[in-house]
């Protein structure tokens, strides 16, 4: 079994990550902690193969946690699970040994793919016969399959809707989302409903002066 430590300061998100990992065959959650200091102390006393690491922690940055793990000589792999989109930060993460990088918000399917690829890499053993096998082993972690979306939906539009939703802390309607991305209200609602159905947004009825309540959508970080 691959032993996983979940490091996430938001309790709801931490519990969601734990549940996701526990749904994966071959993985077990060794623990859940909410700060960088607790993560390092846990890794020093308990066997851990993989850390699911949020970067924005209350006491330190995830990169500092990675550096401390390396300095301590602990053979632990790290998958960054964060909302940080700065490419400079991504490069820094690679330099300190982060094997995969998963952007919030994400679906279970996205994490499942990362964990399946990691399991394949982690389970490889023995000697290789040549460079091609080494490249293939490393490619197991680096290559990414395209997300399978329902028919008629595009990854580009989904990303646009996700970005608009993420910037709307108080929520927004399908009409507002449609205006923001230059699409029809029907199209915007379909993508917002997709995010809500996958646990990446939450629906909230808003009552006006007359008529039925309008559904608003709020970002939900997981």
């Amino acid at each position: 079994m691959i032993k996983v430590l979940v490091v996430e300061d938001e309790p709801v998100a931490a519990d969601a990550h734990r549940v996701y990992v526990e749904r994966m065959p071959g993985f077990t959650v060794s623990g859940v902690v909410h700060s960088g200091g607790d993560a390092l102390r846990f890794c020093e006393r308990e066997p851990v193969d993989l850390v699911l690491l949020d970067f924005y922690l209350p006491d330190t940055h995830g990169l500092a946690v990675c550096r401390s793990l390396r300095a301590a000589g602990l053979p632990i792999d790290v998958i960054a699970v964060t909302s940080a989109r700065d490419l400079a930060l991504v490069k820094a993460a690679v330099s300190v040994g982060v094997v995969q990088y998963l952007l919030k918000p994400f679906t279970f399917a996205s994490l499942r793919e990362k964990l399946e690829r990691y399991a394949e890499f982690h389970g490889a053993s023995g000697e290789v016969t040549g460079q091609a096998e080494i490249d293939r082993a490393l490619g197991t972690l680096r290559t990414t399959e395209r997300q399978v979306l329902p028919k008629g939906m595009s990854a580009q539009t989904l990303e646009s809707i996700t970005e608009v939703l993420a910037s709307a802390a108080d929520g927004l309607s399908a009409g507002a989302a449609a205006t923001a991305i230059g699409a029809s209200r029907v199209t915007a609602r379909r993508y917002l409903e997709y995010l809500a159905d996958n646990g990446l947004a939450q629906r909230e009825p808003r009552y006006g002066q007359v008529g039925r309540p309008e559904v608003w959508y709020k970002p939900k970080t997981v």
Side-chain angles (χ1 to χ4, degrees), residues 19 97 107 145 168 205 217:
V19 171
T107 63
E145 297 175 354
Y217 302 85

Side-chain angles (χ1 to χ4, degrees), residues 3 6 11 17 29 51 96 104-105 123-124 153 159 170 179 187 198 214-215 222:
K3 301 176 180 64
V6 174
H17 298 170
V29 176
V51 175
V96 295
K104 296 178 180 178
M153 295 182 69
E159 183 174 356
D170 294 328
T179 300
T187 296
N198 283 277
E214 183 178 22
V215 176
V222 176

Side-chain angles (χ1 to χ4, degrees), residues 148-154 190-191 194:
V148 179
L149 296 173
K151 185 177 180 180
M153 295 182 69
S154 75
R190 184 183 184 195
Y191 283 86
Y194 173 82

Side-chain angles (χ1 to χ4, degrees), residues 86-157:
D86 188 343
L87 280 178
L89 186 59
V90 176
K91 293 176 182 178
V94 172
S95 72
V96 295
V98 171
V99 296
Q100 290 179 320
Y101 199 101
L102 183 59
L103 277 176
K104 296 178 180 178
F106 58 87
T107 63
F108 170 65
S110 297
L111 179 60
R112 179 180 60 202
E113 182 200 357
K114 297 292 186 187
L115 293 180
E116 286 175 346
R117 289 179 177 276
Y118 174 77
E120 184 178 347
F121 175 79
H122 181 79
S125 62
E127 287 194 18
V128 298
T129 59
Q131 184 66 45
E133 287 190 39
I134 293 176
D135 293 341
R136 188 159 48 249
L138 294 176
T140 299
L141 289 172
R142 301 304 176 194
T143 54
T144 304
E145 297 175 354
R146 294 180 61 186
Q147 183 179 7
V148 179
L149 296 173
K151 185 177 180 180
M153 295 182 69
S154 75
Q156 182 177 358
T157 303

Side-chain angles (χ1 to χ4, degrees), residues 3 30-31 40-49 74 76:
K3 301 176 180 64
S30 294
L40 293 172
R41 285 186 286 272
F42 189 97
C43 290
E44 288 172 353
R45 68 174 188 268
E46 301 288 344
V48 175
D49 300 307
L74 296 172
I76 298 173

Side-chain angles (χ1 to χ4, degrees), residues 151-171:
K151 185 177 180 180
M153 295 182 69
S154 75
Q156 182 177 358
T157 303
L158 179 61
E159 183 174 356
S160 297
I161 286 287
T162 301
E163 290 176 355
V164 169
L165 182 66
S167 65
D170 294 328

